[in-house]
Amino acid sequence: MSISALSPTRFLECVSGFLQVVSLIGLLLLLFKAAQHYLRRQWLLRALHQFPLPPSHWLFGHCFQFKVDEELRWILRYVEKFPGAFLHWIWGSHVFIKIYDPDYMKVILGRADPKASLYRFLTPWLGHGLFFLNGHKWFQHRRMLTPAFHYDILKPYVGIMADSVQVMLDKWEQIACQDTTLEIFHPISLMMLDTIMKCAFSYQGSVQLDSLTSHSRRTNSACQIAHEHTDRVVKLRKAQLQDKKSMEDLRGKRCLDFLDILLFSRMDDGSSLSDKALRAEVDSLMFGGHDTPASGISLVFYALATHADHQQRCREEVQSLLGDGSPITWGHLHQMPYTTMCIKEAMRLYPPIPSVGRKLNTPVTFPDGRSLPKGITVLLHFYALHHNPKVWPNPEVFDPSRFAMNSVQHSHAFLPFSGGSRNCIGKQLAMNALKVAVALTLLRFELLPDPTRVPIPTQQLVLKSKNGIHLHLRKLK
């Protein structure tokens, strides 16, 4: 019988019956998934019974326990209550463990567990570079990239960093005359992008001098410029490698940059990086090399602005080295002990990378006897570690003497650049940038806080402030 022969009533009954069947199947699937989540959650709670679980909702876990900008304060509340670690239940069966004890950190960072899937949202932009790789492929790429961060490569970068910082400070002088506050993260981010472009890819322009309107447009355009420039340089240098004379000239460069080293590097089987792998490593350096140090520099400036006595002591130390107008050099970076102590203490209070995740590929037992099964996601929470009162007495107090030469610390009590074999490959580059930026800025400006705009740190991949970092700048005579 055709549908056209059915009466309207009969047709509606058929449709109604079909919808009932579909609804029933949907309900059964929903119940099945709910049962799966419930059983996994019960298994997780049994497997993790040695670790405390803060009060939570029966279904949504800790999802609605705090606002986004209150998460760090919520975490610190339980850091004081629960030693070492506690469970964080997102919703359903999504449970992971936050650790903030140096002995726990040492155990996890001494293993070869893969990174957790918390960072998948970045892969479309960064690709699968060193940041995301695991296992033997990670080891190969790490070994290839390590020469690019050797001291001999980094030494000439100090002058390049100084030039980029001075461009930024020249622009700040115009703002300082207007007696207004400045949101510092965005210009510092552009300054670091400028630095990375010049150090890593021999870029001859200046990202900071692009005449664009808004901060976001400047940053987005700068990243686009960076990617376009990198693509052009990669094609040009690959073409040079095909020409014997050009290749000899390239090898004879006084200073090989990051891209040169990547192009000359070889895998275990003698092959070079594919275009896709090369772009992924370049993108990773672009992201990690400008965004993370920019966050660190901004928060160091904020810490110094809110502690005028320490800022002045740093300034006097820098003036003793550079007060006669001498350009800053590699050697000067090792003659600023008090400034370095203040930088480290600021990074303890405001770590540029607040946490990293690992997914255990084998069970683990900690020194206190507690253990975790395979498959659990562990969040190594550096912010919580740095604010753990059992590790750092009076953790909210800015006290640079914690990092004096004679101070004694646990090897894993201070981890601004993570630790173990997967520590930040560019940590020395970042520290150099921090020292250069702080030294040159303190020679020209006094940093003052804006009491009406106190930054609110938030839990992100990189620690930034929800409402920006605003400072007053007072030009020194």
Side-chain angles (χ1 to χ4, degrees):
M1 181 184 293
S2 65
I3 293 178
S4 59
L6 290 174
S7 66
T9 304
R10 180 62 177 161
F11 176 71
L12 291 175
E13 288 176 352
C14 290
V15 172
S16 176
F18 175 74
L19 292 176
Q20 288 177 9
V21 171
V22 171
S23 299
L24 180 60
I25 293 173
L27 179 60
L28 290 173
L29 288 174
L30 184 62
L31 290 173
F32 177 73
K33 292 300 293 183
Q36 269 190 326
H37 279 294
Y38 175 77
L39 292 173
R40 174 165 172 77
R41 175 175 170 261
Q42 292 303 106
W43 175 82
L44 283 169
L45 293 179
R46 285 194 300 271
L48 304 174
H49 72 278
Q50 296 173 309
F51 297 91
L53 175 71
S56 57
H57 186 272
W58 67 273
L59 177 60
F60 299 112
H62 297 128
C63 272
F64 303 108
Q65 297 283 320
F66 48 82
K67 296 178 182 177
V68 173
D69 58 349
E70 295 176 348
E71 182 177 0
L72 292 177
R73 277 176 284 182
W74 180 83
I75 291 170
L76 295 185
R77 189 163 73 231
Y78 291 105
V79 166
E80 294 187 28
K81 186 174 182 180
F82 303 131
F86 69 84
L87 300 179
H88 191 168
W89 177 22
I90 303 300
W91 62 274
S93 61
H94 297 273
V95 179
F96 56 86
I97 184 166
K98 293 181 185 287
I99 66 173
Y100 38 84
D101 176 87
D103 288 325
Y104 279 38
M105 293 280 183
K106 186 175 182 179
V107 170
I108 298 297
L109 291 173
R111 292 161 52 96
D113 300 301
K115 284 201 170 185
S117 58
L118 305 171
Y119 314 107
R120 285 179 183 169
F121 70 96
L122 286 172
T123 53
W125 194 70
L126 293 181
H128 292 276
L130 191 68
F131 185 82
F132 295 104
L133 294 176
N134 293 300
H136 182 65
K137 197 168 184 179
W138 170 84
F139 178 77
Q140 279 190 317
H141 281 234
R142 176 83 180 206
R143 189 170 62 182
M144 288 176 66
L145 296 175
T146 296
F149 297 93
H150 189 274
Y151 290 120
D152 290 337
I153 299 294
L154 298 181
K155 285 179 181 179
Y157 291 173
V158 173
I160 296 173
M161 292 174 179
D163 291 342
S164 294
V165 172
Q166 296 290 16
V167 170
M168 179 185 72
L169 298 179
D170 288 343
K171 296 174 75 173
W172 283 10
E173 280 208 12
Q174 303 171 19
I175 298 171
C177 296
Q178 300 171 11
D179 191 27
T180 185
T181 61
L182 171 69
E183 199 294 306
I184 63 171
F185 175 76
H186 290 288
I188 291 175
S189 181
L190 283 177
M191 180 274 292
M192 280 307 307
L193 184 59
D194 203 17
T195 299
I196 289 298
M197 290 285 291
K198 292 174 180 175
C199 293
F201 314 116
S202 301
Y203 183 60
Q204 298 303 314
S206 178
V207 172
Q208 298 181 84
L209 297 178
D210 291 335
S211 55
L212 303 168
T213 54
S214 69
H215 289 310
S216 59
R217 283 179 58 190
R218 273 207 304 268
T219 302
N220 292 336
S221 176
C223 288
Q224 184 180 353
I225 291 169
H227 289 319
E228 290 173 356
H229 170 75
T230 302
D231 287 338
R232 288 196 300 269
V233 172
V234 168
K235 290 177 182 177
L236 175 63
R237 294 197 196 172
K238 279 199 166 186
Q240 288 177 331
L241 292 179
Q242 305 302 316
D243 180 76
K244 187 175 180 180
K245 183 179 184 307
S246 296
M247 187 171 71
E248 289 175 356
D249 292 342
L250 196 59
R251 287 186 182 276
K253 281 177 65 175
R254 181 171 175 268
C255 298
L256 292 179
D257 61 29
F258 177 80
L259 191 53
D260 294 329
I261 292 170
L262 274 183
L263 290 171
F264 285 127
S265 297
R266 292 293 180 267
M267 308 282 269
D268 290 344
D269 60 3
S271 64
S272 59
L273 287 174
S274 67
D275 287 350
K276 185 177 180 181
L278 187 64
R279 177 60 183 269
E281 295 303 350
V282 167
D283 287 345
S284 294
L285 178 70
M286 294 292 294
F287 174 76
H290 93 275
D291 195 86
T292 308
S295 180
I297 293 170
S298 301
L299 289 164
V300 169
F301 282 3
Y302 174 73
L304 291 175
T306 52
H307 298 88
D309 51 340
H310 295 294
Q311 179 185 162
Q312 180 57 28
R313 188 168 170 184
C314 289
R315 181 176 293 107
E316 291 170 359
E317 182 177 70
V318 173
Q319 287 173 336
S320 70
L321 298 172
L322 306 173
D324 60 355
S326 300
I328 191 167
T329 65
W330 173 269
H332 291 133
L333 303 186
H334 307 284
Q335 299 175 45
M336 301 186 292
Y338 194 77
T339 302
T340 303
M341 287 161 56
C342 287
I343 289 172
K344 288 182 176 180
E345 175 65 351
M347 288 197 294
R348 182 193 66 80
L349 280 171
Y350 312 111
I353 304 293
S355 61
V356 296
R358 297 286 186 269
K359 187 171 183 178
L360 301 183
N361 54 15
T362 59
V364 63
T365 300
F366 295 108
D368 61 5
R370 293 195 285 186
S371 60
L372 293 171
K374 174 184 176 180
I376 295 297
T377 296
V378 178
L379 200 68
L380 296 91
H381 212 289
F382 305 133
Y383 186 92
L385 169 72
H386 292 177
H387 291 256
N388 187 343
K390 292 182 175 60
V391 180
W392 299 98
N394 301 315
E396 304 306 319
V397 175
F398 185 83
D399 181 8
S401 67
R402 302 179 201 269
F403 296 95
M405 290 292 291
N406 59 351
S407 63
V408 179
Q409 302 167 0
H410 190 289
S411 61
H412 286 65
F414 178 61
L415 298 171
F417 301 108
S418 188
S421 61
R422 293 204 66 147
N423 68 347
C424 175
I425 193 172
K427 63 180 183 179
Q428 189 60 54
L429 176 68
M431 277 300 295
N432 292 349
L434 279 158
K435 292 180 182 180
V436 170
V438 170
L440 297 183
T441 300
L442 294 186
L443 282 176
R444 295 176 63 172
F445 296 101
E446 180 182 0
L447 306 174
L448 303 165
D450 181 351
T452 66
R453 293 181 175 181
V454 178
I456 304 172
T458 59
Q459 172 68 36
Q460 300 174 358
L461 176 65
V462 177
L463 184 65
K464 300 186 183 77
S465 170
K466 179 186 176 184
N467 56 346
I469 302 174
H470 295 79
L471 297 181
H472 285 283
L473 304 175
R474 181 178 295 164
K475 190 177 183 305
L476 298 176
K477 296 180 181 179

